[in-house]
Amino acid sequence: MIKNYFKISFRNIFRKKTYSFINVTGLGLGLATGFIMLMWVNNEYSMNMYHTHADRIYKINAKLKSGSDETVWENTPAPVAVFARENINDVEKIARLKMDGARQVVKYNTNVFIEDKIGYTENEFFEIFDFPIVKGNSGQPLAGGLSVVLTESAAKKYFGNDEPIGKVLRFKDTTFSVSAIMKDFPANSSIQLNMLFSMDIIRIKFHGNGQWKTIEQDWGNYNYSTFCLMKKGRNTNYASRAILSELRKTNPDASITGFPFCALKDIYLYKADGSEGRIIMVKIFFIIAIFVLLIACINYVNLVTAKATQRIREISIRKIIGAQKQQLFWQFFIEAGVLLLFAALTALFLVGLLLPVYKQVSGNDVNYNPSDLQLWKVFFSIFGVVWILTGLYPALLLSSFKPLQALQGRGIMARAGILRKSLVVLQFVVSITLLLSTVFIHRQMSFVRNKDLHVNTDNVIVFPVWKIYDHVKEFKNELKQSSHVSDITVANMSFFEGANSTSDLEWTGKQKGDKLMISQIDVDQKFLGFFHTAMKEGIDFSKTTPDAPDYILNETAVRKMGLKNPVGQMIKFHDRPGTVIGVVEDFHFESLQKEIEPALLEYAPGEGGIIYARVQQKDAKQVISFAQSIWRKYEADLPMEYSFLDDQLAKQYDKETKASHLFDAFSLITLFISCLGLFGLAAYSAERRTKEIGIRKVLGADIRQLAALLSKEFILLVLIAIIIAVPIVWIGMSKLLDYFAYRISLDWWVFLITCALAALAAIITVSFQAIKAAIANPVKSLRTE
């Protein structure tokens, strides 16, 4: 019996080639797109969750108050771990991790390597997380102060096939012995390092010789990631309150208001303050994946139910000769499965073609390894769900209807027509929603790219020179000698990455207990003139003496400090009294996703680690080459880094720009699948009304009238979809655009033009079949059975 089901299924598929092609193409494209997107969603949700105790691992953050605003930092002071380890019973294990993502020189014998994934931690780190030690003492991987743990790939890079344990590496003018080798950090780990040094190195550097506190004493340096493993059933609230209480004992005036614990599962997907971060994109892509698959399934269901009337004779004969409802159900359900199998094979072929393009456009790393069991779990889960969606309803419908009622236009088949129209509307609601969203996202990207930053970023090369900090002045003066450099300045801040913040600011009129977080920007005399940033009041540093204790505030700082006539007022910054000599207009120095923060500019030419040089575009290569020759005088091993300020600006919305490209692709795919289904339904409608068209043509109907007759039903459905989609987009995009500090308005004419284009695509699709049927020979039409 089952063999017969498959035989009939194959026969029907190959006999109706156009119908089968539309179904296989629509389902295949939907499966391929949905598969790629759900693979990525699965990867995102699995981030960090492979650890045995993932449900009990937390990262400790720090919450602080600045005026009426609250901010959450992802790092804490080093003493947090020491206090919790010794005093909080609810904490089972706790460890600090200090990242050093800058490029560093590592030497082995005469070989020089560049490393940029370096961290400092302690042995408890390996007890909290599942990062297996494959060589060395797994209980104490960091054996002593001058030891280092390498990943397998790092050990291979440094020592080749030689035994790494006991080998000596030189780092920051100190020798370290390799004490253990660990497996490489998995791709789904948010921590990615190549070498881990002992936290003892930080202790040695800050040894508390009377000049400064040890790291165990310094509650003011928020520079450590602190991870803890809570005991089973214990609550984090007590631990958080206890840490805050200890901070209050050492620093009663601290602006910190709490130490929130962030669950490991939320670290990657959510912001430090608990608000939605990357999870927004994950949710959007998940919903789009479901919609793409749903649209592909709707196409199949629509075409099957539309074609059902052509199978009345087959089903009637089978019922007369004794076929049971259950047998007919399995016949049509298996037929759906066979067609889906062809679509799945098509999808796997398309995945191979589309995945490299997807990776390039999105920047998302989706692994497509045929031996990966997780990949096949996702694939077969999609296959099973789609089979149920495409096979269950048509099988129930076709096995249940009564032929006589169907021929009279009553019963189940009549109700199927209503469902079919509803599904067409749903298809185009999704397609138009995505299309409109894509247009508004593109307009938002264009808006932020062209926004006036009050900073001239044209033809500026950025040289991070903090690696040769003692020679910054010499580097700047020598670079300035180049005839290709038209202007040069130095600061302690890298544009669009933010500046150091502090609340150590006092001014007349400040209320007791007020804490204003303000960004500190150390600059030379030419900084504001270099970037063509205008002064609103007073003078800039080019008109003052180098040794004067003068400060410049931005407009936001003046507003939040409540200063009425700021120029000439005395303020105290880090206990250094000085005069406000000017107010600079607000300019963007941090991420464009944030509103401009209060900023204080201080004249401190010896404190800058970033040099900015303005050049002509055609001279950039000569300037870079000249700068490299200067760099090699002071740092022979480490390559010089540089970038263009315009490129740094473009990177601010790199993720959003890539997302907009993906929206382009997804909206076009959904629209194409929807139009493909509409094409099939229009073809069926024209085929079903062949004789009617022939008679109308004989009686004098022209092509325009016949095309309108066949098209109006489908066009009406698309118009209903537009009416439903517009308010959905309005509400959804209003919320999504709130993610941006500076956003566009939702103009009505954008809705009008975009919806008109979507409707035009549908009209062209339907009209093609309608005109084809209208110009057919009526004699041939009337002879058609």
Side-chain angles (χ1 to χ4, degrees):
M1 180 65 71
I2 294 178
K3 181 181 178 181
N4 187 54
Y5 291 157
F6 279 99
K7 186 183 293 185
I8 295 173
S9 298
F10 279 104
R11 184 185 300 160
N12 281 323
I13 289 172
F14 287 105
R15 187 173 60 187
K16 302 170 183 176
K17 294 183 178 61
T18 302
Y19 163 80
S20 300
F21 173 79
I22 292 173
N23 270 323
V24 168
T25 302
L27 277 174
L29 186 57
L31 282 172
T33 305
F35 180 47
I36 291 173
M37 294 170 68
L38 289 178
M39 271 201 303
W40 179 77
V41 169
N42 182 69
N43 286 347
E44 295 291 289
Y45 273 117
S46 69
M47 190 67 70
N48 296 324
M49 297 311 295
Y50 61 91
H51 297 287
T52 304
H53 304 301
D55 60 324
R56 294 193 285 130
I57 298 175
Y58 293 85
K59 184 180 182 185
I60 305 177
N61 297 324
K63 183 189 292 183
L64 66 153
K65 191 171 184 180
S66 174
S68 59
D69 301 325
E70 280 194 330
T71 304
V72 178
W73 288 342
E74 294 184 354
N75 293 333
T76 61
V80 166
V82 179
F83 171 77
R85 187 180 292 126
E86 296 174 353
N87 298 280
I88 302 177
N89 189 49
D90 292 345
V91 175
E92 184 174 322
K93 300 284 182 183
I94 192 164
R96 293 161 292 189
L97 176 66
K98 179 178 170 61
M99 302 284 200
D100 189 349
R103 302 174 81 187
Q104 305 278 5
V105 174
V106 179
K107 296 180 180 180
Y108 173 60
N109 293 333
T110 58
N111 299 318
V112 178
F113 302 91
I114 305 301
E115 189 62 72
D116 62 355
K117 294 182 179 179
I118 300 169
Y120 304 84
T121 190
E122 40 212 338
N123 284 313
E124 289 88 343
F125 177 80
F126 298 96
E127 299 174 17
I128 295 172
F129 296 102
D130 294 343
F131 296 131
I133 301 297
V134 295
K135 287 184 180 180
N137 185 347
S138 59
Q140 297 287 323
L142 291 163
L146 298 178
S147 62
V148 61
V149 175
L150 301 178
T151 61
E152 288 180 307
S153 59
K156 182 76 172 176
K157 178 176 74 172
Y158 294 131
F159 311 117
N161 295 323
D162 294 346
E163 172 58 47
I165 302 297
K167 289 286 194 301
V168 175
L169 294 172
R170 190 162 185 81
F171 174 67
K172 290 189 175 180
D173 298 322
T174 307
T175 56
F176 296 87
S177 176
V178 178
S179 57
I181 303 298
M182 62 179 290
K183 282 188 173 295
D184 290 350
F185 286 83
N188 60 340
S189 170
S190 58
I191 301 173
Q192 293 292 329
L193 298 168
N194 288 333
M195 57 198 318
L196 283 162
F197 293 94
S198 171
M199 191 63 68
D200 292 340
I201 306 305
I202 309 295
R203 293 190 186 94
I204 293 169
K205 187 176 180 182
F206 302 107
H207 47 73
N209 60 0
Q211 297 178 4
W212 191 243
K213 304 171 184 176
T214 66
I215 61 171
E216 279 78 10
Q217 298 169 335
D218 187 4
W219 281 88
N221 184 3
Y222 289 75
N223 205 20
Y224 299 84
S225 296
T226 305
F227 297 95
C228 72
L229 176 65
M230 298 296 292
K231 291 181 179 178
K232 289 184 179 179
R234 301 299 175 91
N235 194 290
T236 61
N237 291 335
Y238 169 76
S240 178
R241 290 195 300 269
I243 296 170
L244 179 62
S245 177
E246 182 65 16
L247 171 67
R248 294 281 185 233
K249 293 178 184 177
T250 59
N251 187 1
D253 296 327
S255 56
I256 300 298
T257 60
F259 288 94
F261 281 55
C262 179
L264 182 65
K265 64 181 178 63
D266 296 333
I267 290 174
Y268 180 73
L269 296 174
Y270 292 85
K271 295 180 181 178
D273 61 2
S275 61
E276 292 187 328
R278 195 173 178 87
I279 190 66
I280 295 175
M281 197 57 63
V282 175
K283 287 179 178 178
I284 289 173
F285 277 25
F286 178 75
I287 292 171
I288 292 174
I290 298 303
F291 278 149
V292 170
L293 290 171
L294 187 61
I295 286 175
C297 293
I298 287 172
N299 269 1
Y300 178 82
V301 172
N302 275 347
L303 290 173
V304 169
T305 55
K307 286 278 187 178
T309 53
Q310 296 184 351
R311 303 189 70 172
I312 291 175
R313 185 179 299 176
E314 172 196 344
I315 298 169
S316 299
I317 293 173
R318 294 186 64 179
K319 281 196 170 187
I320 290 170
I321 61 177
Q324 300 297 313
K325 179 179 178 180
Q326 183 179 5
Q327 293 173 315
L328 290 170
F329 171 85
W330 284 111
Q331 166 65 58
F332 295 116
F333 192 69
I334 289 175
E335 189 172 310
V338 171
L339 192 140
L340 182 59
L341 182 61
F342 282 106
L345 294 174
T346 303
L348 290 175
F349 172 74
L350 290 174
V351 166
L353 293 177
L354 296 176
L355 197 57
V357 179
Y358 172 81
K359 287 183 179 180
Q360 184 177 0
V361 172
S362 68
N364 296 325
D365 187 17
V366 179
N367 297 318
Y368 182 50
N369 182 3
S371 62
D372 185 359
L373 182 61
Q374 187 65 29
L375 180 146
W376 292 108
K377 284 182 180 178
V378 174
F379 182 78
F380 283 115
S381 297
I382 296 172
F383 186 91
V385 171
V386 172
W387 190 1
I388 292 172
L389 290 175
T390 57
L392 193 60
Y393 176 74
L396 286 171
L397 177 74
L398 296 175
S399 62
S400 300
F401 82 91
K402 295 178 175 57
L404 182 60
Q405 287 184 346
L407 289 171
Q408 295 173 343
R410 298 182 293 112
I412 294 175
M413 296 309 296
R415 292 196 296 272
I418 298 173
L419 175 66
R420 187 162 60 251
K421 293 176 182 178
S422 302
L423 292 178
V424 170
V425 170
L426 177 60
Q427 274 187 311
F428 276 91
V429 166
V430 174
S431 299
I432 294 167
T433 298
L434 280 178
L435 198 61
L436 280 167
S437 300
T438 299
V439 172
F440 282 116
I441 289 172
H442 271 289
R443 295 191 72 239
Q444 175 66 28
M445 291 300 100
S446 176
F447 173 76
V448 296
R449 279 195 294 267
N450 296 305
K451 186 180 185 300
D452 185 4
L453 307 177
H454 301 292
V455 173
N456 185 348
T457 63
D458 294 340
N459 301 322
V460 175
I461 305 178
V462 184
F463 296 100
V465 291
W466 59 272
K467 284 289 184 181
I468 54 169
Y469 194 79
D470 294 335
H471 303 284
V472 171
K473 186 176 181 180
E474 292 93 327
F475 186 94
K476 174 189 171 184
N477 289 336
E478 290 186 56
L479 184 61
K480 189 177 179 180
Q481 300 306 312
S482 171
S483 60
H484 301 299
V485 175
S486 59
D487 202 358
I488 195 165
T489 190
V490 63
N492 72 331
M493 172 202 67
S494 179
F495 263 99
F496 312 123
E497 293 182 7
N500 293 329
S501 297
T502 179
S503 61
D504 195 3
L505 177 66
E506 302 294 331
W507 67 90
T508 303
K510 180 182 179 182
Q511 299 297 316
K512 186 177 180 180
D514 279 358
K515 295 290 183 180
L516 176 67
M517 293 301 299
I518 192 164
S519 296
Q520 176 185 353
I521 305 176
D522 296 334
V523 302
D524 66 3
Q525 287 181 301
K526 299 188 67 176
F527 181 83
L528 294 175
F530 178 92
F531 287 107
H532 302 175
T533 304
M535 297 295 297
K536 303 296 287 187
E537 297 180 55
I539 58 174
D540 64 18
F541 293 123
S542 66
K543 302 179 180 66
T544 186
T545 57
D547 57 347
D550 296 333
Y551 301 110
I552 295 175
L553 301 173
N554 70 350
E555 293 174 287
T556 299
V558 170
R559 185 174 65 254
K560 293 202 171 185
M561 292 167 68
L563 302 179
K564 299 300 182 184
N565 298 295
V567 176
Q569 291 199 30
M570 295 293 296
I571 63 174
K572 185 184 288 186
F573 184 64
H574 288 315
D575 292 326
R576 297 193 303 270
T579 306
V580 177
I581 62 168
V583 177
V584 65
E585 69 178 345
D586 280 341
F587 63 95
H588 286 274
F589 57 92
E590 292 188 296
S591 168
L592 296 180
Q593 294 174 355
K594 302 166 75 174
E595 292 186 3
I596 295 174
E597 298 288 339
L600 178 147
L601 282 70
E602 181 178 12
Y603 178 72
E607 299 298 322
I610 308 290
I611 288 177
Y612 298 92
R614 193 177 301 279
V615 302
Q616 293 295 323
Q617 190 172 14
K618 62 182 177 62
D619 299 329
K621 288 184 179 180
Q622 291 93 319
V623 172
I624 292 168
S625 178
F626 182 61
Q628 286 173 332
S629 66
I630 302 171
W631 177 271
R632 283 191 288 269
K633 293 181 185 179
Y634 308 109
E635 176 55 71
D637 295 323
L638 193 65
M640 183 190 74
E641 298 180 32
Y642 67 91
S643 61
F644 290 89
L645 196 55
D646 281 339
D647 292 340
Q648 291 184 2
L649 175 60
K651 286 180 181 178
Q652 290 300 299
Y653 281 100
D654 187 50
K655 290 181 180 178
E656 288 79 5
T657 301
K658 288 177 178 177
S660 71
H661 294 327
L662 290 176
F663 266 89
D664 292 347
F666 298 148
S667 61
L668 290 176
I669 287 172
T670 54
L671 187 62
F672 173 77
I673 295 174
S674 298
C675 287
L676 193 66
L678 207 59
F679 180 85
L681 288 175
Y684 160 72
S685 178
E687 181 183 341
R688 183 171 58 87
R689 302 174 73 174
T690 301
K691 286 189 177 181
E692 177 190 348
I693 293 169
I695 293 172
R696 287 178 178 274
K697 198 167 185 180
V698 169
L699 294 175
D702 59 23
I703 294 175
R704 182 181 57 81
Q705 291 172 324
L706 292 173
L709 175 69
L710 294 172
S711 303
K712 66 179 181 181
E713 177 184 351
F714 298 107
I715 304 306
L716 179 61
L717 297 178
V718 174
L719 292 176
I720 293 172
I722 290 173
I723 293 171
I724 297 172
V726 166
I728 293 174
V729 174
W730 184 281
I731 296 170
M733 289 307 300
S734 295
K735 291 183 177 180
L736 183 62
L737 290 174
D738 286 340
Y739 171 71
F740 298 89
Y742 306 93
R743 49 163 290 180
I744 60 168
S745 58
L746 300 176
D747 297 318
W748 65 268
W749 59 266
V750 178
F751 285 95
L752 181 63
I753 294 175
T754 306
C755 291
L757 290 174
L760 181 63
I763 290 170
I764 292 172
T765 301
V766 174
S767 298
F768 176 81
Q769 282 294 339
I771 293 171
K772 180 182 176 182
I775 62 176
N777 188 337
V779 176
K780 184 179 180 181
S781 301
L782 292 172
R783 288 177 176 174
T784 301
E785 288 294 333

